[in-house]
Amino acid sequence: MPGAPFSSLPRPLLFGHRGASARAPENTLAAFELAVAAGVDVLELDVHLSRDGVVVVHHDAAIDRTTNGAGDVKNLEFSELCALDAGHRFLDVEGQHSFRGRGCQIPRLCDVLEAFPQCGFNIELKQAEPSMVRAVLEVLTRAGTSEVVLAAADHGIMQAIEASQPGVALGMSSVECWRFWWQAMLGRAPREFRGRCLQVPPYHYGVLPVTSRRVVKAAHAEGLEVHVWTINDPHEASHWLSRGVDGIMSDDPAAIVHAVRSARRAA
């Protein structure tokens, strides 16, 4: 059985989803700094592999949506990626490009791990390639980072991670999440899952309930944690915390930190 997730951190957990991505460009050091200042326990981030094999922190396969460049991460050298303005397209709450030209870059995973040693890390691997898995595990080994959960929507990536490093704490692929949800709704005991975290939205496409008391109860019965995303409203955060979820992922952790801390005091 893979390791327990974030074993030294308090519950419920507060995650900064791509950092404080509502207040600064997602997956940048600026966003992670704001998330840490807000009191997060875990930084949630996404990784890709550059053409020259550098693990970089970025969500999309392409750089077009967030930077002043164009093309896929995997087709660009790290030197090209770090020359881009990762704050170029970010709009703040007033609709201004307040981070444009301020030196925001696409960071390396190793730089983020080094900058925030006090945090846990929820790392989602975005490329379904064995080289991606090897590169991420090598970075984690060199950094000596222990409070880590590795996640991927792709089932094959999750299998590759588990095969490469059986003791690492894992999330669950999309296939596993839906299989678990379906079995939980049917009242069955789903026991075949290697991942330790069910990381799901409250609703699928805003309609189909995914996170419910039944699902949380079924997860806890199997030793799984439930982390719900992405919640930015404190009242909604309190709602899900009252249903027993183990963590909240938020684009704006400063907005919900008091709800999370209240839940801890009440536990």
Side-chain angles (χ1 to χ4, degrees):
M1 180 67 69
F6 309 122
S7 56
S8 71
L9 301 180
R11 297 297 189 279
L13 294 160
L14 176 58
F15 294 73
H17 183 246
R18 308 179 200 172
S21 53
R23 299 179 183 244
E26 65 182 58
N27 278 326
T28 65
L29 290 175
F32 297 136
E33 287 167 359
L34 285 178
V36 170
V40 301
D41 308 292
V42 181
L43 292 173
E44 191 276 342
L45 53 86
D46 312 277
V47 293
H48 284 270
L49 206 59
S50 69
R51 186 170 62 188
D52 50 340
V54 178
V55 183
V56 297
V57 181
H58 193 261
H59 181 272
D60 299 358
I63 59 174
D64 305 51
R65 179 177 63 85
T66 56
T67 78
N68 57 338
D72 288 346
V73 174
K74 67 180 182 180
N75 294 329
L76 296 167
E77 303 280 333
F78 176 65
S79 60
E80 297 174 289
L81 292 169
C82 70
L84 298 169
D85 183 358
H88 185 76
R89 300 192 185 279
F90 176 78
L91 289 174
D92 62 24
V93 293
E94 297 179 351
Q96 301 298 312
H97 290 100
S98 53
F99 280 85
R100 182 175 287 183
R102 287 179 52 184
C104 284
Q105 297 176 314
I106 296 174
R108 298 180 300 176
L109 175 60
C110 62
D111 294 329
V112 177
L113 298 178
E114 181 180 357
F116 307 102
Q118 73 276 36
C119 292
F121 295 91
N122 200 103
I123 302 171
E124 182 171 353
L125 284 70
K126 290 294 191 178
Q127 288 172 239
E129 300 172 5
S131 57
M132 172 97 265
V133 174
R134 289 194 300 269
V136 170
L137 292 176
E138 287 172 4
V139 171
L140 292 174
T141 299
R142 288 197 301 270
T145 306
S146 57
E147 291 292 5
V148 176
V149 163
L150 297 181
D154 184 90
H155 193 60
I157 297 180
M158 297 306 296
Q159 290 178 314
I161 295 170
E162 203 279 331
S164 298
Q165 192 163 325
V168 71
L170 301 172
M172 293 166 67
S173 67
S174 295
V175 169
E176 287 184 308
C177 286
W178 281 113
R179 187 183 298 147
F180 182 93
W181 179 85
W182 182 247
Q183 292 182 351
M185 297 306 290
L186 292 176
R188 298 174 182 170
R191 300 183 182 277
E192 71 274 25
F193 301 101
R194 294 174 179 174
R196 309 314 307 148
C197 312
L198 186 68
Q199 297 182 327
V200 289
Y203 300 94
H204 185 57
Y205 288 112
V207 178
L208 178 66
V210 176
T211 307
S212 64
R213 289 187 187 276
R214 176 180 289 188
V215 169
V216 172
K217 183 177 179 180
H220 288 171
E222 301 304 321
L224 304 175
E225 293 204 351
V226 180
H227 305 152
V228 62
W229 51 267
T230 306
I231 309 299
N232 299 323
D233 179 82
H235 300 293
E236 188 179 3
S238 295
H239 169 81
W240 294 113
L241 290 166
S242 71
R243 279 153 177 73
V245 303
D246 304 283
I248 301 282
M249 296 191 183
S250 179
D251 298 326
D252 193 5
I256 68 165
V257 62
H258 295 299
V260 173
R261 289 176 177 171
S262 294
R264 288 178 189 168
R265 289 193 294 269

